[in-house]
Amino acid sequence: MKKRPSTVCPIVYALDIWGDPWSLVILRDVLIHNKRYYREFLASRERISTNILSARLQSLVEAGLLVRTEGDTNRAQTMYRPTPKALDLFPIVFAIMRWGLKYNPNTDMSIPIMQELIEDEKGLEQRLMRNFDDVTS
């Protein structure tokens, strides 16, 4: 990803880190779907290409949003986990989801998390955060 000179604008700063579509999809997969491994990200419905996935994972690690843990014996065991900085994005991810629910007539409302977001967003956040107790403790 091309980096621009540092900025004083907080919106530009945030978008430079996670504002491209693939970074947000990866963050969604980490935070909402608890994906941890490269192969799990590749299996996402959006079908990200391997070179873009590798580049985005690396940029999210460099930005301090993900921690990469090498597998003991095999690269396929390399794991990505969110940092507290990434967990602070939950309200933003939920806000983007709510906006999409409101304006995207093609949203698949049979996905349980969509109903949960509408009915109990705080409960949803608490439930998802339990996946990351090791990060927050």
Side-chain angles (χ1 to χ4, degrees):
M1 235 196 267
K2 191 187 286 186
K3 296 287 182 187
R4 72 176 101 218
S6 62
T7 179
V8 297
C9 177
I11 292 174
V12 172
Y13 170 80
L15 291 176
D16 279 348
I17 294 173
W18 50 261
D20 70 277
W22 291 117
S23 292
L24 272 174
V25 169
I26 292 167
L27 288 169
R28 176 210 60 194
D29 284 350
V30 169
L31 297 174
I32 305 294
H33 302 298
N34 199 23
K35 292 184 180 183
R36 300 176 184 197
Y37 298 98
Y38 189 86
R39 67 185 174 278
E40 292 175 320
F41 298 117
L42 277 180
S44 293
R45 181 183 309 194
E46 293 80 14
R47 304 186 53 88
I48 187 171
S49 68
T50 57
N51 61 325
I52 291 175
L53 176 58
S54 294
R56 294 311 184 273
L57 286 169
Q58 183 61 36
S59 69
L60 291 169
V61 168
E62 289 171 2
L65 291 171
L66 297 178
V67 174
R68 177 185 166 134
T69 305
E70 297 290 332
D72 290 336
T73 59
N74 177 332
R75 280 185 56 180
Q77 295 173 337
T78 299
M79 182 174 28
Y80 296 89
R81 296 288 286 156
T83 64
K85 187 175 179 179
L87 297 178
D88 284 344
L89 290 172
F90 264 118
I92 294 164
V93 171
F94 288 162
I96 292 169
M97 288 172 67
R98 279 193 316 275
W99 186 89
L101 283 169
K102 183 174 181 178
Y103 294 106
N104 180 3
N106 299 317
T107 298
D108 184 354
M109 293 307 294
S110 69
I111 300 171
I113 201 166
M114 298 305 168
Q115 287 300 318
E116 199 173 353
L117 179 70
I118 293 168
E119 294 167 6
D120 185 15
E121 184 175 325
K122 271 294 179 214
L124 172 62
E125 183 174 353
Q126 290 170 350
R127 180 179 68 76
L128 293 173
M129 284 293 287
R130 285 193 292 271
N131 292 324
F132 310 111
D133 285 344
D134 60 319
V135 175
T136 59
S137 51

